[in-house]
Amino acid sequence: DIRVLRGVEDEKAYEKGMNNTTTAYDLMLIFDRIATGKAVDATSCAAMIDMLKAQHFKEIIAGKLPDKVQVASKSGWITGVHHDSGIVFLPDGRKYVLVLLSKDIGDDEAAIGEEATVSRIVYDHMMGIPVAGDPMVKGAVAGEGEGPDGGQGEALAARGGQGDMSAAWPVVDRL
C-alpha cells in the first residue's frame, strides 16, 4: 500500500516517525501503466517516459547495464534506504518494469552496487543470458505467477549483506 504522510523535506514530520511508504508491487503497477500508455493517456505517458529517461541518478537500475540500453527511472534515498523504479528498454524492442527497494542499509555504496547487480541479473534473464554463477543469486527467492490484478509478473526478495531488498517486475510484453 502506498501511504503519503509527509512532504519530501518535512523534517519535523520525519522526526515524529511520519514516513511515506510503498511496496515494490505498488510501484510496479504504476510504472507498468506508464510503460503501456495506460496511466493517463498515451501522449501523457510518452511525456512521463521522456522525463524519466532524463533522470540524472543512474547508479542503480542503469548502473551495470550496457550503454545501449535505455532506462526511464526515478530513484530516491534517505538515510539507510535506496530505491529505484523504472522501465528498461531492451535493444530488441521489448521492455520491462523493474522496482528495487531497500532498507536497513549500513553501507550505501555497497547497497547501490548490490541493487545494480540485481538489475543486471534481471536484464540478463530477460536477454536469455545465464546468471547462475552470480553470487547475488544465492539466497534469493524468486517466483513467477499471477498478481492480485490477474497480470503476470515476477518478484524477487533477498537479504543481502547490506540490508533488505525487494523487487518486482512485470513482463510487459505479456500484459
Side-chain angles (χ1 to χ4, degrees), residues 57-58 70 85 102 107 126 145:
F57 302 101
K58 297 184 178 274
Q70 291 187 24
S85 307
S102 65
D107 180 337
M126 294 299 294

Side-chain angles (χ1 to χ4, degrees), residues 56-83:
H56 176 73
F57 302 101
K58 297 184 178 274
E59 294 85 5
I60 297 178
I61 291 178
K64 293 185 179 180
L65 300 184
D67 291 338
K68 65 185 177 216
V69 177
Q70 291 187 24
V71 177
S73 67
K74 171 65 180 97
S75 59
W77 62 92
I78 58 173
T79 303
V81 173
H82 278 275
H83 297 336

Side-chain angles (χ1 to χ4, degrees), residues 11-23:
E11 292 294 323
K12 289 180 182 178
Y14 177 76
E15 289 169 4
K16 291 179 180 178
M18 296 175 66
N19 291 306
N20 301 329
T21 60
T22 190
T23 66

Side-chain angles (χ1 to χ4, degrees), residues 34-97:
I34 295 169
T36 57
K38 298 175 184 173
V40 180
D41 57 58
T43 302
S44 297
C45 290
M48 289 180 225
I49 289 169
D50 287 342
M51 188 178 298
L52 292 165
K53 282 182 179 178
Q55 162 73 280
H56 176 73
F57 302 101
K58 297 184 178 274
E59 294 85 5
I60 297 178
I61 291 178
K64 293 185 179 180
L65 300 184
D67 291 338
K68 65 185 177 216
V69 177
Q70 291 187 24
V71 177
S73 67
K74 171 65 180 97
S75 59
W77 62 92
I78 58 173
T79 303
V81 173
H82 278 275
H83 297 336
D84 201 6
S85 307
I87 306 161
V88 179
F89 297 87
L90 299 174
D92 63 9
R94 293 177 299 142
K95 61 189 169 196
Y96 63 90
V97 171

Side-chain angles (χ1 to χ4, degrees), residues 59-61 63-64 100 111-121:
E59 294 85 5
I60 297 178
I61 291 178
K64 293 185 179 180
L100 298 169
I112 290 168
E114 286 182 7
E115 286 179 295
T117 297
V118 170
S119 175
R120 182 58 190 242
I121 290 168

